[in-house]
Amino acid sequence: MSKIYSKPNFQWLLKMAWRDGKASLSRLLLFMASIILGIAAVVSIQLFSDNLKQNIKLQSKALMGADFVIDSKQKPTEKTQAIIDSLGADASEVNFVSMAAFPKNNGTKLVKVRAIEGAFPFYGNITTTPKDAGATYQNLGGALVDATLLLQYKIIPGDSIKIGELTLPIIGELKAIPGSTAISSSVAPTVLIPFRFLDETELLQYRK
Amino acid sequence: MSNILKINDLEKTYTSGSKKLTVISNITFEVEQGSVFSIVGPSGSGKTTLLGLCAGLDYPTSGSIELCGTALHDLNEDERAALRNKEVGFIFQNFQLLPTLTALENVIVPLELQGEKNASKFGIALLEKVGLGDRLHHYPSQLSGGEQQRVALARAFSNKPSILFADEPTGNLDEETGEKVIQLLFELNKEAGTTLVIITHDLDLANRTQQILRLKGGKIISNEKTSAI
């Protein structure tokens, strides 16, 4: 038999879609708005995720303060130390939690002591008041104490802090340092001391 | 006069698991071109099944159907659709209008499918003929039952069919509205010279047709010409 009509063309399909759509315009708008919102939500989440990953990637060095960190809860063995040395580690740190005292007013507080040797941090800065205290505390042989802790105990730079058997002058207020989080600082505020004074605290003991 | 519809020894059986249900069997009849033909019978007698088979909407289990000179069993689904679009019109008890299209759009869709360029003009003329010239842009939900059936009438005649199948066209209408719709149907049919096949419960309506086929239990119990002209 002869072909008496052709399949509907695209233009006719569009016309039918428009006819269907205008019959319930409000529902169509709601439907389209739902699709738009859905896509926007998916794109936003994806974008947020990508931005977060990108920022972490960009700031990871500054957050850690170094290219890599080797962390151990024990004193490294000779073999381990040799491996660490072969990697060319430029700074070292011993940190622990201890009670600290302020002789000025006999205040005591649980603090996190970070004894640092070398030019740490390699990325980012130690933020202090006065501004240059982060660069000078090693040479001046003093401590940098968490700013909130100083405020809490009404201590000012120039006063002293006693950690174990060691008493050091406070060189400045410590506001931020790579490797410390706000949560850990709220429990045990950070106190930075030069590594060379660590033994004098007599707080460090190794297993035999 | 030639026959537009020839049915020969038609049978339709539905199979459900191991059970077989024969809905119609031994159906043989012919419909003359231009005549008004009615099929009557109680509910479940197979009237609607027969109409579906005659119009090429369904496939018989056995037997043959020749519609407008074309044997339906030789056609695939696309060819059947093409034949229906060109030669067949339908009117249903529940109107079957597309709810998202206006009255005019419902009427012109078959014409647009045929590629008719003046579809709108022709559709408006048809709707004016059925007395709905002022309801062109109303949706089916904004029309009464009688008005919806009149739109269905206009749509049925829009593609100038050779044969029109009407399945209980007044079944959903009150008596007065139903009578108006039937008068309109007969008028349009006379004007267009279309063959009309009506399925109905209404014996008064059947008596106004030229031939009555009576069905019972899926079989023909009589096939008589009437005195109606």
Side-chain angles (χ1 to χ4, degrees):
Chain A
M1 70 182 293
S2 60
K3 197 172 184 181
I4 55 171
Y5 81 114
S6 56
K7 296 241 175 192
N9 59 30
F10 186 66
Q11 210 174 0
W12 186 79
L13 292 176
L14 283 180
K15 192 192 274 188
M16 285 302 285
W18 163 244
R19 285 170 177 169
D20 266 341
K22 74 179 166 61
S24 47
L25 206 56
S26 57
R27 283 185 202 166
L28 180 68
L29 290 174
L30 181 67
F31 181 69
M32 287 173 68
S34 302
I35 291 176
I36 290 167
L37 277 174
I39 292 172
V42 169
V43 170
S44 300
I45 291 166
Q46 195 72 38
L47 204 61
F48 175 74
S49 169
D50 285 349
N51 283 343
L52 189 65
K53 282 178 189 168
Q54 190 74 14
N55 277 328
I56 288 172
K57 195 176 174 184
L58 287 172
Q59 295 179 22
S60 59
K61 287 180 178 177
L63 286 170
M64 203 162 65
D67 288 315
F68 62 90
V69 172
I70 300 168
D71 200 346
S72 171
K73 292 191 183 301
Q74 296 173 342
K75 190 177 182 181
T77 61
E78 282 184 17
K79 192 177 175 184
T80 311
Q81 190 60 53
I83 294 169
I84 294 169
D85 290 344
S86 72
L87 292 170
D90 293 321
S92 59
E93 173 184 334
V94 172
N95 66 64
F96 54 88
V97 175
S98 172
M99 292 301 289
F102 299 106
K104 181 182 176 184
N105 54 17
N106 292 324
T108 56
K109 173 71 179 171
L110 187 73
V111 297
K112 182 180 181 182
V113 180
R114 294 180 68 178
I116 293 174
E117 183 181 41
F120 182 85
F122 304 106
Y123 302 101
N125 297 305
I126 300 175
T127 311
T128 58
T129 301
K131 280 185 178 177
D132 62 346
T136 60
Y137 81 101
Q138 290 272 3
N139 291 336
L140 294 175
L144 295 176
V145 181
D146 183 87
T148 313
L149 180 60
L150 292 182
L151 188 66
Q152 188 181 356
Y153 285 84
K154 294 176 182 167
I155 304 293
I156 56 169
D159 293 335
S160 56
I161 183 170
K162 188 167 186 269
I163 302 164
E165 296 300 323
L166 174 69
T167 302
L168 285 176
I170 297 171
I171 301 295
E173 297 174 8
L174 179 63
K175 291 185 172 170
I177 180 172
S180 276
T181 62
I183 294 172
S184 65
S185 295
S186 65
V187 177
T190 304
V191 175
L192 240 60
I193 63 169
F195 190 85
R196 64 179 185 275
F197 295 121
L198 182 61
D199 286 342
E200 290 179 41
T201 64
E202 296 182 21
L203 292 172
L204 211 58
Q205 295 176 17
Y206 298 106
R207 283 185 196 165
K208 290 180 182 175
Chain B
M1 195 171 278
S2 63
N3 292 318
I4 193 167
L5 180 65
K6 292 179 186 173
I7 305 294
N8 186 36
D9 199 18
L10 205 63
E11 181 179 313
K12 179 68 181 175
T13 301
Y14 292 101
T15 305
S16 174
S18 58
K19 289 182 180 176
K20 285 188 175 181
L21 176 68
T22 300
V23 181
I24 54 172
S25 62
N26 300 322
I27 303 291
T28 300
F29 68 92
E30 293 174 347
V31 177
E32 281 182 13
Q33 190 160 11
S35 66
V36 180
F37 189 94
S38 61
I39 301 172
V40 297
S43 297
S45 59
K47 302 188 296 292
T48 301
T49 303
L50 179 59
L51 183 136
L53 291 168
C54 292
L57 294 170
D58 200 0
Y59 291 85
T61 307
S62 64
S64 65
I65 304 159
E66 191 182 306
L67 180 64
C68 303
T70 306
L72 292 186
H73 65 266
D74 290 339
L75 305 181
N76 62 30
E77 196 52 54
D78 282 349
E79 288 169 335
R80 282 171 178 242
L83 180 71
R84 284 196 297 270
N85 183 254
K86 186 186 176 190
E87 305 285 359
V88 182
F90 289 99
I91 298 169
F92 299 97
Q93 181 178 352
N94 52 0
F95 324 130
Q96 299 286 11
L97 298 176
L98 294 171
T100 55
L101 301 188
T102 63
L104 178 60
E105 288 163 353
N106 263 288
V107 174
I108 65 177
V109 161
L111 295 169
E112 288 177 343
L113 282 169
Q114 282 185 347
E116 174 66 50
K117 287 181 181 172
N118 293 318
S120 283
K121 199 176 166 186
F122 191 57
I124 292 169
L126 269 169
L127 283 168
E128 282 173 347
K129 202 175 279 185
V130 298
L132 292 175
D134 56 341
R135 310 297 296 270
L136 301 177
H137 304 295
H138 285 72
Y139 288 96
S141 59
Q142 298 168 322
L143 301 172
S144 68
E147 287 169 334
Q148 287 185 56
Q149 194 60 301
R150 280 191 276 161
V151 174
L153 278 179
R155 180 183 61 183
F157 283 99
S158 67
N159 60 339
K160 298 171 186 163
S162 302
I163 184 165
L164 183 65
F165 293 99
D167 187 1
E168 304 271 10
T170 58
N172 268 353
L173 305 175
D174 62 72
E175 197 176 334
E176 189 181 333
T177 310
E179 179 53 33
K180 283 179 185 170
V181 166
I182 287 298
Q183 279 182 11
L184 194 56
L185 174 62
F186 283 173
E187 278 172 29
L188 288 170
N189 187 60
K190 190 176 174 186
E191 195 176 307
T194 309
T195 306
L196 183 58
V197 178
I198 303 175
I199 285 181
T200 183
H201 282 293
D202 185 352
L203 286 176
D204 289 338
L205 171 59
N207 284 324
R208 291 159 71 179
T209 67
Q210 291 158 341
Q211 193 165 346
I212 303 174
L213 182 81
R214 286 188 168 82
L215 288 180
K216 192 174 183 183
K219 294 181 188 300
I220 293 175
I221 55 170
S222 70
N223 184 5
E224 298 165 341
K225 288 193 184 295
T226 67
S227 53
I229 299 170

